[in-house]
């Protein structure tokens, strides 16, 4: 397997994505080059506020 050249996090503002983002920020897992968030309108307002 080849080593990835870029790492992207698909961030849905839920528990799993937020946990991965925090673990990467703390250096527990490999850092991401970018986090991608698309507001589909289905996330609760509180979740959208945390991402912004």
């Amino acid at each position: 397997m080849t080593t990835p050249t870029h790492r992207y996090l698909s961030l849905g503002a839920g528990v799993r994505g937020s946990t991965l983002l925090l673990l990467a920020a703390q250096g527990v897992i490999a850092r991401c080059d970018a986090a991608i968030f698309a507001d589909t309108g289905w996330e609760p307002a509180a979740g959208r506020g945390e991402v912004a």
Side-chain angles (χ1 to χ4, degrees):
M1 184 186 313
T2 61
T3 304
T5 57
H6 295 88
R7 295 180 189 273
Y8 300 98
L9 174 62
S10 176
L11 185 59
V15 173
R16 287 180 223 95
S18 297
T19 300
L20 288 172
L21 183 64
L22 290 171
L23 288 172
Q26 295 172 352
V28 176
I29 62 174
R31 292 188 66 112
C32 302
D33 295 302
I36 301 168
F37 176 75
D39 186 1
T40 61
W42 288 94
E43 295 291 341
R48 286 192 306 270
E50 289 181 16
V51 173

